[in-house]
Amino acid sequence: MLRRMLLNLETIAVCAVLFAFVSPAMAQYPARPITIIVPWGAGGGTDATGRIIASVLEKELGQPINVTNRTGGSGVVGHSAIASAEPDGYTLGVATVEIGMMHWQGLTELTWEDYTPIALMNEDPAAVQVAADSEFETIEALVDAIKSGEPGAFKASGTGQGGIWHLAIAGMLNDLNIEPSKVQWVPSEGAASGLQDMVAGGVEIVPCSLPEARSLIDAGRVKSLAIMAEERSELFPDVPTLKEAINSDWQIGAWRGIVGPKGMPDDVVATLTEALEKVYNSDEYKQFMSEQGYGVRWAAGQDFADFMDQSNQALGETMKAIGLAE
Amino acid sequence: MRFSDRMLGGVLIAFALAVGIYSQTFPDIPGQQYGAAAFPTAIAVALGGCGLILFARGLLGPREPLITLTEWTRVPGALLAALVTILAVVAYILLARPVGFVPVMAAILAVLLVLLRVPWWQTAIFAVGTTLVIDFVFRSVLLVPLPLGIMPRLPW
Amino acid sequence: MDAIAAAFELVATWQVLAAVLSAALFGLLVGAIPGLTATMAIALLVPITFFMDPVPAVGTMVTCAAMAIFAGDIPGTLLRIPGTPASAAYAEEAYALTRKGQAELALGANLLFSAIGGLFGTAVLIFAAPTLAEIALKFSSFEYFWMALLGLTCAAFLSVASPINGVISLCIGLFVATIGLNNPAGVPRFTFGSTEMLAGIDFIPAMIGLFAVSEVLRNIAAGAPRWEIVQERVGNVFRHWGGLIVTYWRQQLRGNILGTIIGALPGAGADIAAWVSYAISRRFSRTPEKFGTGHIEGIVESTSANNSSLSSAWIPALVFGIPGDTITAIVIGVLYVKGLNPGPTLFLFNPQNIYAVFLIFVLANLVLIPLGWVAIKLAKRLLQVPRAVLMPIILAFCIVGAFASTNSMYGVIVMLAFGVLGFFMEENEIPLAPCILGIVIGPILEKNFVTSMIKSGGSFFSFFERPIAAGLGILVILVWASLLVGWARAWRRRP
């Protein structure tokens, strides 16, 4: 009986505390915990990036930050969840390169213009990988062989049909005036399974990013022929850029940035931008990214918006050229 | 609720036809024989086959009513109880976001406990207690974003 | 030898032991709650490991995963609500044991054979990792296609009672797996314009619905009658365990070996290992008719398999940085951050680190036994709670578990839909297990079929061109031939 009474008392006490906590008027942003939506699953690069940003940002803002995975539909589900949240600064998200791809495929109406751009945090350029025992030692030799070969003689893999690495190789061929369908795309669940298939002899090329191929390159099973970026990567400085190797201007990469729903208040955006810039320059972030082998790239506000605009247009052109977009 | 072989067979055939026909609208992978439609079509064929076997078995066998009520449904209140449970989950789906996890979950727990004739004071303790424990474990330890609604975040 | 001594020093510190212990408790909690998977537990640990030394960081993840996979058996056995997908294969069987009053026997067996399975997988990891990783690397879509087909064949063994109802259930599962955008062609299927549906039907809420919600519905409809059975007390646990090992060492070994093989292959994990083992156990059992009525044999084999696959999933992860399952996918990221870059070099330079990781594996599986035993003793009291109180509370946990799996109400909707479906299926004596199997294996089968066809330009012969693929293909054909002959004989013997 006594225990029961105590329980009741406890309930009452809890309720009392509860009402005492009803939040007073909105104080300085942020006044309560923030949620960051990650459109990809736990264990992937976007998840890791989102979580490291969150853990450093937490210290900067002095509020807990929850990272929430909203996965599936090639990123559509998570990106929609970010766009449809309240634009009060308490729900942010990690936007990825796919935001400039999925609307061209007719999967969603969402474009980069449905978000408040805050800060670009990372970019990993695509690179061309072949198996270590492949006969091709240079990108030039590979491209020549593709050019003179039968359509479908070369197969590439590393992501789903119409994914970013599919666009990377198709766009490169298009840029070199080679019919993109000369390389048959074999859809895979991600770079890891594509690379494994290449080592097993299933496909010849995997045009994924260098950090994704890193462990197999280190293990001597895979070699990288060229990187589709302006500069060589810090991770593998021996891999030439496309420009150096075959004088092609084609560049493409997967990027990740922090965005919010459209229409966030300016002061909130300013606070977040400042905090994210500190995160970007922090030792923790820099160290984490370099140890994972991820590239870093910074752009905020209008620069980030321009970057997304440019990425969106380039991807759209490529997708139209290879028949993936209407 | 138990379907007779004829009924179940018929339902399966109709479902298989719908899946099979709808699948034909899926686009192909450019230049490939087997695309998005191949797998659903195969499943539809298999399901339709099962449906045909069941339907034939039903026609050949003794005549049964299309739907029979299984034993438990004849217990008074059984169907109602199942229906209330389903509606409770529907209520959660509709109300949790606007109202908040704590009040909605406590309410549906209370409804179900009363439905099962648990004494009112136990109902109150279990409904509130379970809700608070879940709120603490899921929101604070496991970082699941349970909907807050109009409720403030509890002090943990 | 110096390296091994150094490894012992790395592990035998308070920091490491405390980390292992708290990770075990955390894994126990997460694994026992339906809807929360071992993968999710590991993901939650990632930010914490940022602040740890390499060895305790890896230690927490290894322990947490092993504990979570075992803990998933607890609600599966007591309430027919598998805590993690890896427990789903034998949840019904274990629940049948509970209804016979033998919950403690079932859980004790789960615990013992989980720990042994984990140790077996660890032993293989220590002694044969490089060789096995080489073999795993040879698997291409052709081999995986045959493997998936073998997995589906298991459904035939899961529903001996009525093959046609089994096929219907399997087809429902396969159909469910086609919903969404996750298919080789990358086009939305059966989504009807819904953004949420693009993600497809998540396996976790579907499983909670089929097993747990349908059970809750049935119980509440019946007015939540009191438990009729008295649970047997198991006296001396260790003597009891001795008896199980003596009787079922063949099943255990077969489960261990199969689990290790499946775990080492990237793209198949503990859940598939458990299903396949359960089916094989039934196929080769002397008393297959006892399966499904509360028979410990299949549980022994599949629980041996799921924990050993957990350990062997680290083989391709450590040797080549290729994740063997979703858990190791997360851990690989942490390994890089901690400077333990996966690859052959891990075994050459600083071998004390890798030996320390192995020691942690052994430690984790040993810690499992006392902690798991306490957990079983505590959890068993659940059965003393009146069902009228328990059922609504279970439903509450199902709802939040389903919510947590997608972090949105969509998970709850899927759960409810499958709860009603599961209820209807059981009313019509359509077994649930093949449906779950279809949801798990469907995408693997389709993906590998379509990608193989793309690679071969539409030629079926390519499925037999590679040596391993040809071997697996012939195996599949033999299994099917024997099945058909068996059915034909049974048909002819009918009066």
Side-chain angles (χ1 to χ4, degrees), chain C residues 67-276:
Chain C
M67 206 66 193
I69 293 288
F70 157 69
D73 296 343
I74 297 177
T77 305
L78 296 179
L79 308 165
R80 209 186 78 144
I81 305 172
T84 65
S87 307
Y90 47 91
E92 277 181 280
E93 187 81 56
Y95 185 61
L97 273 167
T98 300
R99 286 207 299 211
K100 281 162 68 178
Q102 294 173 336
E104 204 162 348
L105 171 75
L107 285 172
N110 278 330
L111 177 60
L112 173 70
F113 291 104
S114 287
I116 298 179
L119 289 173
F120 183 91
T122 306
V124 175
L125 172 66
I126 295 173
F127 295 110
T131 326
L132 270 176
E134 283 299 333
I135 299 171
L137 220 51
K138 290 206 168 58
F139 271 59
S140 168
S141 59
F142 301 101
E143 287 82 8
Y144 279 117
F145 169 77
W146 288 119
M147 290 284 294
L149 212 54
L150 263 183
L152 273 196
T153 313
C154 296
F157 302 126
L158 286 173
S159 53
V160 180
S162 165
I164 188 147
N165 284 6
V167 176
I168 292 172
S169 177
L170 183 69
C171 286
I172 294 174
L174 289 173
F175 168 72
V176 165
T178 64
I179 296 172
L181 192 59
N182 183 20
N183 58 71
V187 296
R189 296 192 298 199
F190 307 110
T191 57
F192 305 106
S194 147
T195 300
E196 298 273 18
M197 295 269 283
L198 281 179
I201 301 294
D202 194 63
F203 170 58
I204 310 285
M207 185 185 78
I208 298 178
L210 282 178
F211 281 106
V213 176
S214 65
E215 181 76 10
V216 169
L217 276 176
R218 224 185 336 273
N219 265 291
I220 290 186
R226 295 197 162 272
W227 310 94
E228 284 145 20
I229 29 100
V230 181
Q231 292 294 323
E232 275 170 31
R233 295 189 140 270
V234 171
N236 185 338
V237 182
F238 297 99
R239 200 161 44 190
H240 200 77
W241 280 356
L244 281 175
I245 293 182
V246 170
T247 319
Y248 293 120
W249 64 272
R250 281 185 203 85
Q251 281 79 359
Q252 179 216 330
L253 202 62
R254 210 160 51 200
N256 286 160
I257 293 171
L258 195 86
T260 308
I261 294 171
I262 292 181
L265 293 172
D271 41 0
I272 294 180
W275 284 106
V276 174

Side-chain angles (χ1 to χ4, degrees), chain A residues 181-294:
Chain A
S181 61
K182 282 242 175 170
V183 173
Q184 175 66 49
W185 188 256
V186 178
S188 78
E189 233 154 53
S193 56
L195 286 162
Q196 200 231 321
D197 208 8
M198 181 166 80
V199 175
V203 298
E204 288 77 30
I205 306 164
V206 175
C208 66
S209 73
L210 281 169
E212 289 170 315
R214 180 183 181 188
S215 61
L216 282 166
I217 296 177
D218 287 343
R221 295 311 174 100
V222 166
K223 57 190 176 191
S224 185
L225 301 182
I227 181 167
M228 304 183 189
E230 209 169 323
E231 287 167 19
R232 294 185 178 208
S233 101
E234 273 179 42
L235 196 59
F236 293 104
D238 295 340
V239 178
T241 64
L242 274 188
K243 182 84 181 167
E244 292 168 347
I246 49 172
N247 199 26
S248 159
D249 285 318
W250 176 249
Q251 291 177 13
I252 192 168
W255 53 263
R256 301 165 182 125
I258 299 290
V259 300
K262 195 177 181 167
M264 275 165 61
D266 288 343
D267 57 323
V268 170
V269 176
T271 312
L272 281 169
T273 310
E274 198 186 319
L276 281 168
E277 192 159 10
K278 282 187 191 146
V279 171
Y280 182 82
N281 290 317
S282 71
D283 290 343
E284 282 127 309
Y285 181 73
K286 286 261 149 90
Q287 197 193 344
F288 176 87
M289 295 303 270
S290 79
E291 267 163 4
Q292 296 262 24
Y294 295 146

Side-chain angles (χ1 to χ4, degrees), chain C residues 26 51 82 157 200 230 248 258 338 358 362 398 410 465 469:
Chain C
F26 181 67
F51 309 103
F157 302 126
V230 181
Y248 293 120
L258 195 86
K338 295 296 168 194
F358 291 156
V362 175
C398 292
Y410 176 61
E465 271 168 9

Side-chain angles (χ1 to χ4, degrees), chain C residues 148-454:
Chain C
L149 212 54
L150 263 183
L152 273 196
T153 313
C154 296
F157 302 126
L158 286 173
S159 53
V160 180
S162 165
I164 188 147
N165 284 6
V167 176
I168 292 172
S169 177
L170 183 69
C171 286
I172 294 174
L174 289 173
F175 168 72
V176 165
T178 64
I179 296 172
L181 192 59
N182 183 20
N183 58 71
V187 296
R189 296 192 298 199
F190 307 110
T191 57
F192 305 106
S194 147
T195 300
E196 298 273 18
M197 295 269 283
L198 281 179
I201 301 294
D202 194 63
F203 170 58
I204 310 285
M207 185 185 78
I208 298 178
L210 282 178
F211 281 106
V213 176
S214 65
E215 181 76 10
V216 169
L217 276 176
R218 224 185 336 273
N219 265 291
I220 290 186
R226 295 197 162 272
W227 310 94
E228 284 145 20
I229 29 100
V230 181
Q231 292 294 323
E232 275 170 31
R233 295 189 140 270
V234 171
N236 185 338
V237 182
F238 297 99
R239 200 161 44 190
H240 200 77
W241 280 356
L244 281 175
I245 293 182
V246 170
T247 319
Y248 293 120
W249 64 272
R250 281 185 203 85
Q251 281 79 359
Q252 179 216 330
L253 202 62
R254 210 160 51 200
N256 286 160
I257 293 171
L258 195 86
T260 308
I261 294 171
I262 292 181
L265 293 172
D271 41 0
I272 294 180
W275 284 106
V276 174
S277 296
Y278 182 77
I280 286 188
S281 184
R282 181 165 193 165
R283 173 70 183 80
F284 290 103
S285 169
R286 291 209 189 95
T287 51
E289 69 282 357
K290 284 193 192 165
F291 276 68
T293 61
H295 187 48
I296 197 84
E297 188 177 342
I299 300 179
V300 169
E301 183 150 350
S302 45
T303 200
S304 296
N306 62 14
N307 273 66
S308 53
S309 89
L310 200 61
S311 301
S312 71
W314 287 68
I315 293 173
L318 288 177
V319 180
F320 290 114
I322 292 175
D325 58 9
T326 45
I327 295 172
T328 41
I330 302 175
V331 178
I332 288 173
V334 175
L335 289 174
Y336 272 118
V337 176
K338 295 296 168 194
L340 295 170
N341 297 11
T345 48
L346 187 62
F347 293 82
L348 297 177
F349 311 123
N350 301 324
Q352 71 272 22
N353 277 330
I354 193 77
Y355 290 140
V357 170
F358 291 156
L359 276 178
I360 295 268
F361 267 95
V362 175
L363 190 65
N365 284 294
L366 292 179
V367 164
L368 193 63
I369 291 183
L371 281 182
W373 190 247
V374 174
I376 290 175
K377 288 286 177 197
L378 291 176
K380 219 183 56 166
R381 294 179 182 218
L382 269 182
L383 295 180
Q384 289 164 10
V385 180
R387 267 201 270 197
V389 172
L390 201 55
M391 286 301 147
I393 295 179
I394 291 174
L395 187 68
F397 272 93
C398 292
I399 290 176
V400 280
F403 181 87
S405 70
T406 60
N407 280 319
S408 69
M409 220 43 102
Y410 176 61
V412 186
I413 298 171
V414 169
M415 176 202 83
L416 182 63
F418 277 82
V420 176
L421 176 70
F423 185 74
F424 175 78
M425 281 167 69
E426 295 219 304
E427 281 286 285
N428 287 282
E429 284 165 23
I430 298 174
L432 298 179
C435 174
I436 297 276
L437 191 71
I439 302 179
V440 175
I441 295 189
I444 307 178
L445 188 71
E446 176 176 23
K447 184 182 76 191
N448 288 304
F449 175 74
V450 173
T451 52
S452 297
M453 279 303 181
I454 292 177

